[in-house]
Amino acid sequence: MRWFKAVWRLAIISCVLLLTGCLQYDLDIQFDSQTHGQLLQRLHWRGAEVFTRAEWSEGFQVLRDRTAAVGGTTRFLDEQTVEIAIPFNNGAELETKFNEFFAPQAAATPFTLLGGEPVAAQLSLHQGNWFGVIFNHINMQFDLTAVPDLTNTGLPLLQGQQLLTGRVQVAAPWVRSLTGELMPSAQWTLVPGEVTEIEADIWVPSPIGIGAAAIALLVLVGYALKYWFRWGP
């Protein structure tokens, strides 16, 4: 019986691969400035033109509704690729919109792939002001344990295939990379069948903070010049 269930599961996975192909899922978190950023997701089905399939129309409508609920937009780049853009104005809004998209409180189910596999994700963010620079520490968790890992599958049809491949990239003026260097971006690979933990340190210039520091400096220089000319060298 256990052997039958395993074969049945592999048969279902094979059908999903034939119908929808493999999904390339890329997520970019872009901090453009202190008051603007974007959560950009791109889903590309390799080997299948899902946009033209009537059986997936309901799934795409759910995706559109979920995106619109957090103020985002959905568009098809071609018959195999859909792009989801969700803007945010600060770190707190990013945290709220990210968690609402993947697990909205009003919905009974989490974010789900077209094959029915749920993808659970959560983000927490801690922010601080460092003298003209906004510091953000991001912690993300992607639970892909419901997505089968086909690496060790013995069936020839599934060799070299994965239902989902993807990566997460964080971009900002300064991001601490995995090696500890400050770079414009850093990226992590998503692994099917596992929980991926992501931590990122980000620094974004604060025009308000920089302006306040410049004003304070000008005031100090003005006082210094005032007493210089009054008392002389």
Side-chain angles (χ1 to χ4, degrees):
M1 180 64 67
R2 184 177 299 177
W3 176 85
F4 176 79
K5 289 182 178 179
V7 172
W8 179 252
R9 180 178 175 84
L10 289 175
I12 292 175
I13 293 172
S14 301
C15 291
V16 171
L17 282 171
L18 290 172
L19 290 173
T20 65
C22 303
L23 173 63
Q24 174 68 35
Y25 173 79
D26 294 327
L27 183 146
D28 291 274
I29 299 178
Q30 303 170 349
F31 284 80
D32 302 324
S33 66
Q34 178 188 358
T35 58
H36 182 267
Q38 183 175 227
L39 182 65
L40 191 65
Q41 302 174 73
R42 182 167 293 180
L43 295 83
H44 175 74
W45 285 268
R46 299 189 300 273
E49 296 181 353
V50 293
F51 178 58
T52 59
R53 294 182 180 271
E55 59 267 30
W56 300 119
S57 59
E58 183 178 350
F60 284 127
Q61 187 57 51
V62 172
L63 191 62
R64 292 189 188 97
D65 293 342
R66 186 180 294 253
T67 303
V70 292
T73 57
T74 306
R75 64 172 181 146
F76 282 92
L77 303 181
D78 53 44
E79 294 181 339
Q80 296 174 281
T81 310
V82 61
E83 183 180 81
I84 301 170
I86 303 173
F88 58 87
N89 295 316
N90 50 57
E93 194 171 272
L94 165 64
E95 182 178 15
T96 299
K97 288 190 173 184
F98 184 98
N99 294 328
E100 270 293 307
F101 177 84
F102 282 98
Q105 297 180 359
T109 57
F111 178 69
T112 305
L113 303 180
L114 291 184
E117 302 82 11
V119 176
Q122 189 173 19
L123 181 147
S124 62
L125 184 146
H126 300 282
Q127 196 171 72
N129 197 327
W130 288 15
F131 302 104
V133 177
I134 301 297
F135 169 74
N136 299 276
H137 177 77
I138 293 179
N139 184 286
M140 284 180 282
Q141 184 183 82
F142 284 85
D143 186 350
L144 302 181
T145 52
V147 182
D149 181 5
L150 309 183
T151 304
N152 299 320
T153 301
L155 292 179
L157 175 63
L158 303 181
Q159 288 298 312
Q161 302 287 336
Q162 284 286 21
L163 285 177
L164 183 146
T165 57
R167 54 100 180 133
V168 175
Q169 179 172 275
V170 178
W174 301 289
V175 181
R176 190 187 301 280
S177 68
L178 300 179
T179 60
E181 301 175 277
L182 292 182
M183 306 286 288
S185 64
Q187 98 177 19
W188 295 259
T189 301
L190 295 175
V191 182
E194 297 183 10
V195 176
T196 303
E197 295 276 356
I198 297 173
E199 288 194 48
D201 291 332
I202 301 165
W203 289 265
V204 181
S206 170
I208 296 175
I210 294 173
I215 292 172
L217 180 61
L218 288 174
V219 170
L220 289 175
V221 170
Y223 273 110
L225 291 175
K226 176 181 177 180
Y227 284 104
W228 174 273
F229 287 115
R230 175 177 294 183
W231 302 106

